[in-house]
Coordinates of all heavy atoms in Angstrom, one line a residue:
Chain V
F41 N -55.9 -45.7 -8.6 CA -56.8 -46.6 -7.9 C -58.1 -46.0 -7.5 O -59.2 -46.6 -7.6 CB -56.1 -47.3 -6.6 CG -55.2 -48.4 -7.0 CD1 -53.9 -48.2 -7.3 CD2 -55.8 -49.7 -7.2 CE1 -53.1 -49.2 -7.7 CE2 -54.9 -50.7 -7.6 CZ -53.6 -50.5 -7.8
V42 N -58.1 -44.7 -7.2 CA -59.4 -44.0 -6.9 C -60.2 -44.0 -8.2 O -61.4 -44.4 -8.2 CB -59.1 -42.6 -6.4 CG1 -60.4 -41.8 -6.3 CG2 -58.4 -42.6 -5.0
G43 N -59.6 -43.5 -9.3 CA -60.3 -43.5 -10.6 C -60.7 -44.9 -11.0 O -61.8 -45.1 -11.6
G44 N -59.8 -45.8 -10.7 CA -60.1 -47.2 -11.1 C -61.3 -47.7 -10.3 O -62.2 -48.5 -10.9
A45 N -61.4 -47.4 -9.0 CA -62.6 -47.8 -8.2 C -63.9 -47.2 -8.9 O -64.9 -47.9 -8.9 CB -62.4 -47.3 -6.8
F46 N -63.8 -46.0 -9.3 CA -65.0 -45.4 -10.0 C -65.4 -46.2 -11.2 O -66.5 -46.5 -11.5 CB -64.8 -43.9 -10.4 CG -64.5 -43.0 -9.2 CD1 -63.9 -41.8 -9.4 CD2 -65.0 -43.3 -7.9 CE1 -63.7 -40.9 -8.3 CE2 -64.8 -42.5 -6.9 CZ -64.1 -41.3 -7.0
A47 N -64.3 -46.6 -12.0 CA -64.6 -47.4 -13.2 C -65.2 -48.7 -12.9 O -66.1 -49.2 -13.6 CB -63.3 -47.6 -14.0
M48 N -64.7 -49.3 -11.8 CA -65.3 -50.6 -11.3 C -66.8 -50.5 -11.0 O -67.6 -51.4 -11.4 CB -64.6 -51.1 -10.1 CG -63.1 -51.4 -10.2 SD -62.9 -52.9 -11.1 CE -61.2 -52.9 -11.4
L49 N -67.1 -49.4 -10.4 CA -68.6 -49.2 -10.1 C -69.3 -49.1 -11.4 O -70.4 -49.6 -11.5 CB -68.7 -47.9 -9.2 CG -68.3 -48.1 -7.7 CD1 -68.3 -46.8 -7.0 CD2 -69.2 -49.1 -7.0
I50 N -68.8 -48.4 -12.3 CA -69.4 -48.2 -13.6 C -69.6 -49.6 -14.3 O -70.7 -49.9 -14.7 CB -68.6 -47.3 -14.6 CG1 -68.6 -45.9 -14.0 CG2 -69.2 -47.3 -16.0 CD1 -67.7 -44.9 -14.7
R51 N -68.6 -50.4 -14.3 CA -68.7 -51.7 -14.9 C -69.6 -52.6 -14.2 O -70.2 -53.5 -14.7 CB -67.3 -52.3 -15.1 CG -66.4 -51.8 -16.2 CD -67.0 -51.4 -17.5 NE -68.0 -52.4 -18.0 CZ -68.7 -52.1 -19.1 NH1 -68.6 -51.0 -19.7 NH2 -69.6 -53.0 -19.5
A52 N -69.7 -52.5 -12.8 CA -70.6 -53.3 -12.1 C -72.0 -53.0 -12.4 O -72.8 -53.9 -12.6 CB -70.3 -53.1 -10.6
E53 N -72.3 -51.7 -12.5 CA -73.7 -51.3 -12.9 C -74.0 -51.8 -14.3 O -75.2 -52.2 -14.5 CB -73.8 -49.8 -12.8 CG -75.1 -49.2 -13.3 CD -76.3 -49.7 -12.6 OE1 -76.2 -49.7 -11.3 OE2 -77.3 -50.1 -13.2
L54 N -73.0 -51.8 -15.2 CA -73.3 -52.1 -16.6 C -73.2 -53.6 -16.8 O -73.4 -54.1 -17.9 CB -72.3 -51.4 -17.5 CG -72.6 -49.9 -17.6 CD1 -71.5 -49.3 -18.5 CD2 -73.9 -49.6 -18.2
F55 N -73.0 -54.4 -15.7 CA -72.9 -55.8 -15.9 C -74.2 -56.4 -16.4 O -74.2 -57.4 -17.1 CB -72.5 -56.5 -14.6 CG -72.1 -57.9 -14.7 CD1 -70.9 -58.3 -15.3 CD2 -72.9 -59.0 -14.3 CE1 -70.5 -59.6 -15.5 CE2 -72.6 -60.3 -14.5 CZ -71.3 -60.6 -15.1
K56 N -75.3 -55.9 -16.0 CA -76.6 -56.3 -16.4 C -77.4 -55.2 -16.9 O -77.3 -54.0 -16.4 CB -77.3 -57.0 -15.2 CG -76.9 -58.4 -15.0 CD -77.9 -59.3 -14.3 CE -78.3 -58.8 -12.9 NZ -79.0 -59.8 -12.1

Side-chain angles (χ1 to χ4, degrees):
Chain V
F41 279 92
V42 172
F46 296 158
M48 296 287 172
L49 286 172
I50 292 171
R51 283 324 313 175
E53 173 59 46
L54 290 174
F55 191 75
K56 282 205 298 199

